Amino acid sequence: MVDHQATIFAVSSGSPPAAIGVIRISGPRAKDALLTLAGRDFVPRQASLARLRDPQGAVLDHALVLWFPGPRSATGEDCAELHCHGGRAVLDAVQRSLSEIEGLRPAEEGEFTRRAFANGRIDLAEAEGLADLLEAETEWQRASAIASAGGRLSSLIEGWRDASLRAAAEIEAALDFSDEDDVAQMPARFAEELDDLCAEIGELLDAPRSEKIKEGFRVVLAGPPNSGKSTLFNALTDSEAAITSPIAGTTRDVIERSVAIAGIPFSLVDTAGLREDGNEPIEAIGIARARAELSRADCILWLGPEGEGPSGAWEISTKSDDANAMQKAQADHVVSAVTGEGIGALKAALVERARAVLPKPGEAALNARQHARLAEAHAALRAAGQQRDLLLIGEELRQARLAFDRLIGRATTEDMLDALFSRFCIGK
């Protein structure tokens, strides 16, 4: 069994070799570790140069040392950082010496952040935002994640939780000074204030979810065989991911690529050519998968005959460089993957569409777990506003507070925490 009271250490910077390698230490014996390696005390929150030695007295490295006494530290515990030279042998030697100190052990994945959560330095919503920040690959993902990691969502939840507590206090006061639990004893404007609170929460529940930022705005290229889907797909992804050929039915399966355009995440999907006579078994499977992709798309680029695509699809005329190619009379975009004509305009239009439906950078966005818990709170508050019995109103308000607590981590399960913090790297 893992000892969660032990002092832990790990490299918290990038993989060596690098100019600097940061080794983080957290736990009750962090100060002892500094005394063992550096032989002296350090002024809190002030960088100091020190010579690090192993238990036998041999010099390990010259490093900058930072000392953060708890609870004013990243984890809420005593913490230290050793900013060493970033060679692999140096970092291995320092960690080997740390492991020889009684009460110290290597950290597990996400253990520093988990301790920060356990010690109240961050809440669960902030921890989830930090996990998203570490996984961010586009500017849009980074901006959204940093809002959650910085407490934007947590601030909203705390405000709504406080409002539910005030409502509960009003109900308790009404019960204390009433002989009968009757609607006549309800505090003034109570139902109206609950309606306003539910309306605020409902706006966030209806807003785009954070999963969309991770998955990207999903664009599906569709049309009959040999309509130019794969060539356009390659042009949009700046790759040769899809095989192009004048032979109909070359694409037999779904090909998906994640790309960033103007900092916004996209998932571009090339599909098998749609036709009714695709009876060859493998091609038939590809066509079935292509039709399934259409239902998942945020935007469909239709390269087939004009007016025959799915409802709402963008009409795309391809091969504008070919004088013999049939062009659409009312195409949304006319492009040539060969010359590049229209590709920039198509990308700009996709960016504009994505900006309209993705969560805005800096705004709170819910993941699936958060959405479920907030929906529970919303339902309980709605029920409280519809009740006439003060005791039942009080119970609904208690259920709402419990949902808020689960959302930010005041009431949670170890399995859920294990799943979250396993997303973090060792050293974070």
Side-chain angles (χ1 to χ4, degrees):
M1 176 175 285
V2 175
D3 180 7
H4 291 293
Q5 302 303 315
T7 298
I8 57 175
F9 63 87
V11 175
S12 61
S13 52
S15 300
I20 300 294
V22 180
I23 297 176
R24 178 179 290 176
I25 308 168
S26 180
R29 299 214 60 192
K31 189 171 186 178
D32 293 336
L34 290 184
L35 288 172
T36 300
L37 267 63
R40 62 184 176 90
D41 287 327
F42 292 87
V43 178
R45 284 166 282 280
Q46 178 178 306
S48 303
L49 184 63
R51 183 179 284 110
L52 306 182
R53 298 179 182 273
D54 66 17
Q56 291 72 45
V59 175
L60 295 167
D61 192 24
H62 291 213
L64 283 178
V65 176
L66 287 162
W67 166 238
F68 303 96
R72 290 178 57 202
S73 70
T75 62
E77 304 174 320
D78 286 351
C79 283
E81 289 184 358
L82 308 176
H83 293 238
C84 307
H85 292 92
R88 194 180 309 278
V90 172
L91 297 176
D92 286 347
V94 175
Q95 291 184 93
R96 188 163 53 248
S97 295
L98 287 170
S99 66
E100 294 176 6
I101 301 173
E102 184 178 354
L104 269 69
R105 64 167 175 81
E108 298 185 317
E109 293 175 339
E111 192 167 6
F112 290 99
T113 307
R114 184 164 187 161
R115 291 190 177 199
F117 166 74
N119 293 322
R121 299 297 291 175
I122 60 174
D123 64 30
L124 193 57
E126 290 171 317
E128 288 173 316
L130 182 55
D132 291 339
L133 184 61
L134 294 174
E135 295 172 352
E137 295 182 349
T138 70
E139 176 61 20
W140 205 271
Q141 291 168 340
R142 181 203 64 78
S144 178
I146 206 165
S148 294
R152 184 72 57 86
L153 176 59
S154 299
S155 179
L156 284 174
I157 300 306
E158 287 288 0
W160 292 333
R161 183 181 184 276
D162 289 345
S164 68
L165 280 171
R166 290 193 297 271
E170 291 185 63
I171 293 300
E172 291 295 329
L175 285 169
D176 287 342
F177 293 98
S178 175
D179 293 329
E180 296 183 4
D181 301 335
D182 187 71
V183 71
Q185 306 301 320
M186 290 285 287
R189 294 193 72 254
F190 180 83
E192 183 179 341
E193 289 174 355
L194 274 188
D195 284 342
D196 291 343
L197 180 58
C198 286
E200 285 184 36
I201 296 173
E203 287 182 7
L204 183 54
L205 287 172
D206 293 338
R209 299 258 290 274
S210 66
E211 287 87 358
K212 181 55 66 179
I213 300 177
K214 291 182 184 179
E215 297 166 2
F217 186 79
R218 196 170 188 84
V219 179
V220 175
L221 283 72
N226 206 27
S227 58
K229 298 186 302 300
S230 295
T231 303
L232 180 57
F233 176 84
N234 289 343
L236 291 174
T237 59
D238 294 320
S239 72
E240 297 295 331
I243 298 173
T244 60
S245 167
I247 302 173
T250 301
T251 300
R252 298 300 186 93
D253 202 353
V254 170
I255 300 175
E256 182 175 344
R257 286 292 181 273
S258 296
V259 298
I261 305 176
I264 296 177
F266 284 86
S267 289
L268 296 175
V269 182
D270 185 21
T271 60
L274 298 173
R275 59 179 176 180
E276 298 302 327
D277 58 346
N279 295 322
E280 194 270 329
I282 295 178
E283 185 183 3
I285 293 173
I287 292 173
R289 291 179 178 177
R291 296 190 188 283
E293 284 296 332
L294 297 179
S295 64
R296 301 178 56 201
D298 296 309
C299 180
I300 298 172
L301 305 184
W302 177 250
L303 281 66
E306 190 166 5
E308 295 184 13
S311 175
W314 290 6
E315 294 284 359
I316 308 297
S317 267
T318 59
K319 306 177 183 179
S320 64
D321 58 292
D322 186 351
N324 297 319
M326 181 70 69
Q327 298 301 321
K328 299 182 180 181
Q330 296 183 343
D332 294 293
H333 292 274
V334 179
V335 302
S336 168
V338 175
T339 66
E341 178 187 352
I343 298 297
L346 177 56
K347 286 184 176 181
L350 289 171
V351 167
E352 184 178 356
R353 171 69 73 89
R355 287 183 187 276
V357 301
L358 290 177
K360 302 296 185 294
E363 292 183 354
L366 301 171
N367 61 31
R369 184 198 70 83
Q370 293 163 351
H371 190 277
R373 299 290 82 77
L374 190 59
E376 290 174 2
H378 184 263
L381 291 170
R382 278 283 184 215
Q386 296 167 0
Q387 292 287 351
R388 298 178 63 85
D389 187 305
L390 294 182
L391 288 174
L392 294 179
I393 293 172
E395 174 58 21
E396 294 292 356
L397 291 174
R398 188 186 72 83
Q399 291 296 328
R401 293 197 308 275
L402 180 58
F404 286 135
D405 286 345
R406 287 172 175 162
L407 200 161
I408 57 178
R410 288 186 178 145
T412 187
T413 66
E414 285 299 308
D415 287 345
M416 190 274 290
L417 293 178
D418 288 343
L420 168 61
F421 292 111
S422 67
R423 294 172 57 192
F424 290 79
C425 58
I426 293 173
K428 189 62 181 176

